[in-house]
Amino acid sequence: METWRLPLSSSIRGKLISAGYTSLSSISSVSSTDLARDVKITESEAFEILKMANQVTGSSSCNGRSSSLVNGARNAWDMLHEEEALPRITTSCSDLDKILGGGISCRDVTEIGGVPGIGKTQIGIQLSVNVQIPREFGGLGGKAIYIDTEGSFMVERALQIAEACVEDMEEYTGYMHKHFKASQVQMKPRDILENIFYFRVCSYTEQIALVNHLDKFISENKDVKVVIVDSITFHFRQDFDDLAHRTRVLSEMALKFMKLAKKFSLAVVLLNQVTTKYTEGSFQLALALGDSWSHSCTNRVILYWNGDERYAYIDKSPSLPSASASYTVTGRGLRNSSSSSKRVKMM
Amino acid sequence: MKPRSLLSQSPTTSLKLTTGCETLDACLHGGFPCDSLTEIVAESGCGKTQLCLQLSLCAQLPISNGGLDGSALYLHSEFPFPFRRLHQLSRSFHLSNPSIYADHNDNPCDHVFIQNVHNVDHLFDVMSKIESFVKNSKTRLPLKLIVLDSVAALFRSEFENTPSDLRKRASCFFKISGKLKQLANKFGLAVVITNQVTDFVESSDGLSGLRIGNLRCLYSSGRRVVPALGLAWANCVNSRVFISRSDDSICQERREDDERSGSSYVSRRARRRFDIVFSPYLPASSCEFVITGEGICGVR
């Protein structure tokens, strides 16, 4: 709002503007003494101007400072409290949870990539089951959307992991309520499967159409707390002769995912493949979809083999330190690896 | 767009195609899954084609027996196609399963459709016709299995080793895989693809020895091998199994009498090893089998 709109006499208004105070926000951050000195008016006149400015902005602060200069802005303190209160989705492997800061964070887009057979689909299925853990057990009690582009999702495997999850919850209840009447775990494995919304897409146009539709779908199913795409890459590695077009399409898709994550406070997990990149005269392993895609995700986890063990490494994160942790894939899902001596390796 | 209900199949397992051998089926938790691409990697002479021929016949079994109640499409890129072996297997299959063919007076070979493929463009051409073939065919059994034997032979001669050609080649892999997966999803087919191996050569960037799956190194006939077509192709398949043989695991020396000449001879069979390299639902496991006149037979 501009100062010339204030109901002041024209001489004072002229002095205000020539001194540089053209907007209300500039007046609000200054005290009456400083204003009087800058504009060459009396202090009481300056005080009147400030009072008027406060009335106009409707701000309730008594020293003339307003708490939000731009509509919709929040201060970092509020944001910190909000982030700490956000729940995280456990991966069922405590070492992996530790390096992730407690689990996969909601409101973020996390990319997980690795060679075939390292366990990307297993992590995807485990997360779609774990998001449903009820709040009484420390989970989110939400539902999952699983977008399958490769056909790797096997129902019997999801059922196996769901059964193991229910068994773990029952064991936990039994342990905690040893002396009391144990409350029954209400969830059954079939319920867990029902709460996974499974979409199969067979081409990149279907994939884009589905991502566009997700906003509406999630508005109708507000308890969805995680969206998993397995894998984000598959349909984009064919048919794109013009790589610039591919980059445009991918960045649009990434933007949509980020908006979904922020709007509905859910976690987006994108599974990616690896490819060899020709850099500095040799071939190196890198996540697929190119350099511009690597900016599209908030967090990035790379899965790799180290000897006979599977490891996860935090490659990019705004808040987590670089670290790696080992995990195994068992019949019951993701678990800590048995080599329990060396744990989290900080880089 | 509506999500697919995961509980719509009951029991909640996907349909599997039996291999005809109990030991292999145990490793695979029932057999090769439908709506999925499974790759068989092996050195030549290990039994890939034998297994594929056997699968083409087993697809005709009723679902209650582990089959798919359907016919098979066998795309082969390596010559010659083993017609005589198919007839031999078909004869013993017919004898063990007469009920499938009794009412219609046909034989198992009538339900295996063979198409040769010369190169990648020919394969794309053939794949574009599969959908209309499935929809319009008047055959008794619907198509339920596609075998591609082998994918590596298609790429042997056309692509150079330059980065741009390798990119084009990788793009072809994803196109083939995408199209096959789309067909598999639409018609509920099982797709089995065979691949060859190449010798392992240590390269300076260490990428040729990149570990993919449960086995740190793949050995066959006493030497270290890697699956052909590299990392890009490995990303295109859902599951990979590895068949290997070692020269020293020979079993069963049997004295057999040849009826015509009256002389007797010793037959030796090399044992083959079957390993799960990676799979979205199978734990790492392996088993052994031999190839007999009747087909593949597991060894305890």
Side-chain angles (χ1 to χ4, degrees):
Chain A
M1 171 117 168
E2 312 301 331
T3 39
W4 52 264
R5 288 182 192 273
L6 286 176
L8 299 166
S9 67
S10 48
S11 58
I12 296 186
R13 202 186 304 149
K15 283 185 191 168
L16 254 187
I17 293 179
S18 54
Y21 290 96
T22 44
S23 67
L24 277 185
S25 50
S26 52
I27 304 182
S28 60
S29 53
V30 90
S31 70
S32 51
T33 350
D34 291 332
L35 187 62
R37 189 184 59 229
D38 278 343
V39 180
K40 299 187 184 52
I41 48 179
T42 66
E43 216 181 295
S44 56
E45 280 171 333
F47 190 71
E48 284 298 313
I49 294 175
L50 284 176
K51 211 163 74 170
M52 210 178 299
N54 279 341
Q55 281 170 356
V56 169
T57 56
S59 141
S60 55
S61 39
C62 43
N63 59 356
R65 290 182 186 279
S66 81
S67 57
S68 97
L69 301 178
V70 177
N71 228 356
R74 298 172 294 162
N75 61 44
W77 185 248
D78 292 337
M79 286 174 72
L80 176 64
H81 281 302
E82 272 178 35
E83 256 184 51
E84 282 174 349
L86 270 182
R88 284 170 178 262
I89 309 175
T90 173
T91 55
S92 288
C93 167
S94 59
D95 291 338
L96 199 48
D97 280 348
K98 209 183 295 183
I99 62 168
L100 287 169
I104 301 282
S105 55
C106 290
R107 283 239 182 121
D108 277 349
V109 176
T110 307
E111 183 184 357
I112 303 181
V115 293
I118 194 84
K120 304 186 289 293
T121 304
Q122 305 303 310
I123 291 186
I125 300 180
Q126 186 74 62
L127 289 172
S128 56
V129 167
N130 286 357
V131 75
Q132 301 180 37
I133 295 177
R135 282 183 225 268
E136 302 91 68
F137 292 90
L140 279 78
K143 297 190 181 168
I145 289 181
Y146 197 99
I147 301 178
D148 188 4
T149 62
E150 295 196 349
S152 292
F153 185 91
M154 304 287 284
V155 188
E156 60 212 73
R157 180 60 174 153
L159 189 62
Q160 203 182 13
I161 293 181
E163 281 167 355
C165 185
V166 170
E167 273 171 29
D168 286 345
M169 284 198 287
E170 281 171 353
E171 196 183 311
Y172 179 77
T173 337
Y175 176 70
M176 293 309 282
H177 296 262
K178 267 196 301 239
H179 305 294
F180 306 92
K181 191 159 180 225
S183 54
Q184 287 290 32
V185 176
Q186 297 298 333
M187 286 195 110
K188 296 277 170 282
R190 286 182 71 88
D191 299 331
I192 295 185
L193 285 189
E194 257 178 24
N195 289 335
I196 301 178
F197 296 111
Y198 174 81
F199 294 89
R200 175 91 165 87
V201 291
C202 293
S203 70
Y204 85 89
T205 44
E206 271 184 49
Q207 191 171 336
I208 297 175
L210 178 58
V211 174
N212 289 341
H213 176 72
L214 276 181
D215 193 289
K216 181 159 176 282
F217 186 83
I218 302 179
S219 311
E220 292 162 7
N221 295 284
K222 280 265 159 57
D223 36 9
V224 168
K225 283 289 163 221
V226 71
V227 176
I228 298 160
V229 186
D230 176 17
S231 62
I232 193 85
T233 341
F234 182 73
H235 294 299
F236 286 90
R237 289 182 80 175
Q238 49 164 305
D239 284 342
F240 276 95
D241 294 316
D242 179 10
L243 282 184
H245 176 223
R246 189 180 87 162
T247 312
R248 276 196 302 274
V249 171
L250 284 173
S251 1
E252 242 187 80
M253 201 169 58
L255 200 59
K256 290 215 170 69
F257 277 125
M258 277 203 235
K259 281 191 187 151
L260 279 176
K262 294 272 180 285
K263 181 174 173 186
F264 297 106
S265 283
L266 45 83
V268 176
V269 178
L270 306 177
L271 302 175
N272 201 355
Q273 297 171 348
V274 288
T275 178
T276 49
K277 199 164 69 159
Y278 192 70
T279 53
E280 297 160 18
S282 68
F283 283 98
Q284 285 178 15
L285 274 189
L287 290 192
L289 295 181
D291 288 324
S292 43
W293 172 257
S294 58
H295 298 297
S296 309
C297 301
T298 325
N299 302 309
R300 209 156 195 217
V301 180
I302 296 188
L303 309 176
Y304 63 100
W305 284 103
N306 189 353
D308 276 332
E309 292 216 323
R310 294 173 155 93
Y311 273 79
Y313 168 67
I314 307 285
D315 183 52
K316 169 192 170 194
S317 170
S319 53
L320 303 165
S322 278
S324 68
S326 71
Y327 66 97
T328 51
V329 179
T330 67
R332 301 169 67 83
L334 236 64
R335 294 290 184 270
N336 284 338
S337 70
S338 46
S339 68
S340 46
S341 48
K342 50 174 167 56
R343 289 276 91 135
V344 175
K345 265 206 318 242
M346 306 297 283
M347 297 281 152
Chain B
M1 338 195 109
K2 296 184 66 168
R4 193 189 90 192
S5 164
L6 292 179
L7 298 171
S8 57
Q9 316 157 256
S10 62
T12 43
T13 52
S14 45
L15 211 50
K16 304 257 188 359
L17 170 58
T18 176
T19 55
C21 160
E22 264 175 27
T23 338
L24 288 185
D25 280 352
C27 250
L28 291 165
H29 285 205
F32 286 86
C34 283
D35 193 4
S36 184
L37 251 68
T38 312
E39 182 191 12
I40 305 177
V41 175
E43 193 187 8
S44 34
C46 278
K48 309 189 283 292
T49 306
Q50 300 301 307
L51 182 53
C52 290
L53 291 173
Q54 195 156 325
L55 285 171
S56 314
L57 295 173
C58 289
Q60 301 167 32
L61 289 170
I63 293 180
S64 49
N65 277 10
L68 300 175
D69 220 350
S71 55
L73 173 62
Y74 199 109
L75 306 169
H76 71 102
S77 57
E78 295 180 350
F79 301 94
F81 182 81
F83 285 105
R84 237 185 296 173
R85 179 59 170 158
L86 179 60
H87 281 126
Q88 184 186 21
L89 289 173
S90 166
R91 271 196 297 275
S92 50
F93 186 80
H94 199 164
L95 285 174
S96 11
N97 301 286
S99 49
I100 310 175
Y101 309 99
D103 300 330
H104 308 269
N105 211 15
D106 54 12
N107 68 69
C109 283
D110 288 336
H111 302 287
V112 180
F113 301 101
I114 299 166
Q115 168 72 54
N116 72 340
V117 196
H118 310 298
N119 54 37
V120 181
D121 291 319
H122 191 194
L123 177 62
F124 286 136
D125 200 35
V126 167
M127 285 202 296
S128 59
K129 297 185 185 140
I130 294 181
E131 194 161 335
S132 50
F133 172 70
V134 175
K135 283 191 190 150
N136 303 329
S137 73
K138 308 283 191 301
T139 55
R140 176 164 75 89
L141 299 175
L143 185 69
K144 280 292 171 196
L145 168 69
I146 295 182
V147 177
L148 175 56
D149 180 15
S150 65
V151 69
L154 293 173
F155 290 92
R156 208 184 265 143
S157 51
E158 284 180 25
F159 293 88
E160 306 291 320
N161 213 11
T162 60
S164 62
D165 255 13
L166 288 177
R167 259 202 300 274
K168 259 192 271 182
R169 200 181 75 151
S171 178
C172 285
F173 294 158
F174 282 91
K175 230 166 148 174
I176 294 174
S177 169
K179 187 70 192 161
L180 286 172
K181 283 182 181 175
Q182 192 180 23
L183 289 169
N185 182 250
K186 192 165 180 185
F187 301 110
L189 315 172
V191 181
V192 177
I193 304 183
T194 64
N195 194 4
Q196 293 163 353
V197 294
T198 58
D199 279 308
F200 171 71
V201 176
E202 184 83 49
S203 68
S204 50
D205 50 30
L207 282 179
S208 54
L210 183 68
R211 174 171 171 165
I212 296 178
N214 302 321
L215 302 173
R216 194 199 282 243
C217 303
L218 302 177
Y219 283 97
S220 186
S221 296
R223 54 188 223 285
R224 190 168 166 194
V225 293
V226 292
L229 305 182
L231 178 61
W233 175 251
N235 280 312
C236 293
V237 297
N238 294 117
S239 316
R240 174 179 274 179
V241 302
F242 178 61
I243 299 180
S244 56
R245 68 173 176 190
S246 47
D247 292 326
D248 43 81
S249 61
I250 296 178
C251 70
Q252 281 192 336
E253 285 194 24
R254 250 179 23 184
R255 289 217 152 258
E256 289 181 12
D257 292 314
D258 191 344
E259 292 117 30
R260 275 177 294 145
S261 66
S263 60
S264 64
Y265 60 94
V266 174
S267 79
R268 291 168 171 214
R269 289 193 198 111
R271 267 194 208 183
R272 268 77 167 161
R273 188 171 194 80
F274 181 90
D275 287 292
I276 307 284
V277 178
F278 62 82
S279 167
Y281 71 108
L282 295 170
S285 59
S286 71
C287 61
E288 290 187 332
F289 65 91
V290 288
I291 305 177
T292 66
E294 287 84 41
I296 288 184
C297 181
V299 172
R300 290 283 160 269

